[in-house]
Amino acid sequence: MENFTFYAPTYFAFGKDTESQAGKLVKRFLGTKVLIHYGGGSVVKSGLLDRVKKSLEQENIPYFELGGVKPNPRSGLVYEGIKLCKKEGIDFVLAVGGGSVIDSSKAIAAGTVYDGDFWDFYMGKPIEKALPVGTILTIAAAGSEGSGDSVITKEEGMFKRGASGEAIRPKFSILNPALTQTLPPYQTAAGITDIMAHLHERYLTNSKDVEVTDRLIEGLLLTMIHEGPRVIADPNNYEARANIMWAGMVAHNNIVGVGRSQDWNSHNIEHELSALYDCAHGAGLAVTMPAVFKYVYKHDVMRFAKLATRVWGIQMDFDNPEATALQGITALENFLKSIGMPIRFNELGAKEEDIPTLVKMLCYGDGRTGSISGFVKLNEEDCTNIYKMML
Ligand code: NZQ
Ligand code: ZN
């Protein structure tokens, strides 16, 4: 196990009706004037936004509202939010929605206390200062409710990039699984896929002797394999939603990623797909992960075979561990298909002729010089081959 530090001080309020604590929690974390940030309308329709406003009013906390965050959130609305926060002297950003709303809120929070262009943070500058952020989560997926990360797409060029910093880790997150019951099945499944991807990105490591995090990841994957189909079959299954929601947080606040190198090649390869085609991030990952894994599994056959046996219950073939590893990848692919996820390129609206553009953005964006690295270092040719495997 490698040396690490771990500090993830988000206060969680989990369970039914917890959104009624919003006002009290904003006060506890010293917010006196709030920006409520939300998406395309699901929280208006469900009545959640009204309940959150009421909770702030009960604590006499003034607020402003800014809705309209799109999935794969854009820089334009972030600039608007920063302007509003500066003009009105807002000192707390409250995200009501999914990963996109939370990420947009984090960008606004960082940009409001920064003199330059907030995009600097998405070009690699660490975020050291930000307004405090609180979240009320409506979809189990991105894990942004517990992470110090934010992903934004810049409209000019449609560059989708991430920024990080302890300052944007939410001060509190309210997780009421019942709020996720209104999700369309496709979004529920995309969320499940993203959570499973966050677990795989950490499982694929070159670090040795990391049994404790291996076992935690395996347990979380087993939970997703058990609860995923239950929630797809019955969207109102509160207990399944609750297990998935907490798994989504644990999968990405990095408690299962400490002390080990991580992969993130699937995420990097996917981000170009959701940037170019505006597909759901989780759906993009369903297509990406099996292709990446089939391309790289020979780098460490036994790691993939371990995943296949411990998580997918496949019998280890000691004479042919490669076959066991491949059976595990096929089991993942079949599982994702069974919950309604796409598994081929064209199902995302992706086109073969765009592959050179995707590869160029992937291998030369973010100051990269022709490759991406993780579990395995992948050059332009490798990335081209992987996108072709998705066809
Ligand atoms: O906009 P509204 O109307 O709210 O609708 C949303 C949106 O259309 C809808 N939705 C959310 N909760 C709902 C609901 N509909 C009905 N009932 C509810 N309870 O679902 C759609 C998707 O929402 P979105 O916030 O985009 O989903 P998700 O949480 O998957 O976030 C995806 C974004 O997070 C980024 C992704 O790249 C993508 O941009 N990620 C952020 C990470 C982070 N900050 O740590 C890590 C992740 O790997 C990921 O990259
Ligand atoms: Zn993700």
Side-chain angles (χ1 to χ4, degrees), residues 117-172:
D117 182 349
F118 93 92
W119 191 252
D120 293 348
F121 299 123
Y122 294 78
M123 294 303 289
K125 191 179 166 71
I127 301 176
E128 280 163 4
K129 237 174 97 188
L131 293 182
V133 174
T135 87
I136 301 170
L137 185 65
T138 61
I139 170 172
S144 190
E145 66 277 13
S147 83
D149 308 313
S150 159
V151 185
I152 301 289
T153 301
K154 193 173 177 65
E155 273 115 335
E156 300 147 32
M158 292 305 274
F159 286 115
K160 188 172 185 180
R161 297 290 177 254
S164 299
E166 283 309 314
I168 55 168
R169 202 183 278 273
K171 295 287 175 258
F172 72 80

Side-chain angles (χ1 to χ4, degrees), residues 194 198 267 281 285:
D194 194 17
H198 295 162
H267 265 68
H281 168 62
L285 285 166

Side-chain angles (χ1 to χ4, degrees), residues 35 44 50 62 65 83 123 152 177 227 241 244 331 340 345 351 360 365:
L35 175 71
V44 179
D50 281 341
E65 291 174 51
K83 208 166 138 195
M123 294 303 289
I152 301 289
E227 300 294 18
R241 293 245 181 227
I244 290 172
F345 215 51
K351 299 186 196 81
K360 191 159 170 260

Side-chain angles (χ1 to χ4, degrees), residues 110-268:
T112 300
V113 294
Y114 179 61
D115 285 336
D117 182 349
F118 93 92
W119 191 252
D120 293 348
F121 299 123
Y122 294 78
M123 294 303 289
K125 191 179 166 71
I127 301 176
E128 280 163 4
K129 237 174 97 188
L131 293 182
V133 174
T135 87
I136 301 170
L137 185 65
T138 61
I139 170 172
S144 190
E145 66 277 13
S147 83
D149 308 313
S150 159
V151 185
I152 301 289
T153 301
K154 193 173 177 65
E155 273 115 335
E156 300 147 32
M158 292 305 274
F159 286 115
K160 188 172 185 180
R161 297 290 177 254
S164 299
E166 283 309 314
I168 55 168
R169 202 183 278 273
K171 295 287 175 258
F172 72 80
S173 283
I174 291 175
L175 273 56
N176 175 358
L179 296 179
T180 68
Q181 285 170 352
T182 53
L183 277 166
Y186 189 81
Q187 288 296 344
T188 298
I192 290 167
T193 309
D194 194 17
I195 294 167
M196 293 177 78
H198 295 162
L199 295 166
H200 279 86
E201 300 281 21
R202 292 180 167 92
Y203 201 82
L204 297 184
T205 185
N206 292 310
S207 306
K208 302 288 173 225
D209 296 320
V210 284
E211 192 66 6
V212 61
T213 36
D214 272 0
R215 287 293 190 185
L216 288 167
I217 295 171
E218 289 159 10
L220 287 160
L221 281 169
L222 286 165
T223 303
M224 298 307 296
I225 293 163
H226 180 251
E227 300 294 18
R230 291 202 325 143
V231 89
I232 295 296
D234 175 11
N236 291 322
N237 186 330
Y238 177 87
E239 296 305 334
R241 293 245 181 227
N243 281 302
I244 290 172
M245 198 169 210
W246 191 241
M249 202 301 292
V250 180
H252 199 51
N253 85 335
N254 210 33
I255 195 160
V256 301
V258 294
R260 53 198 289 146
S261 70
Q262 302 182 9
D263 186 5
W264 299 99
N265 278 338
S266 294
H267 265 68
N268 284 323

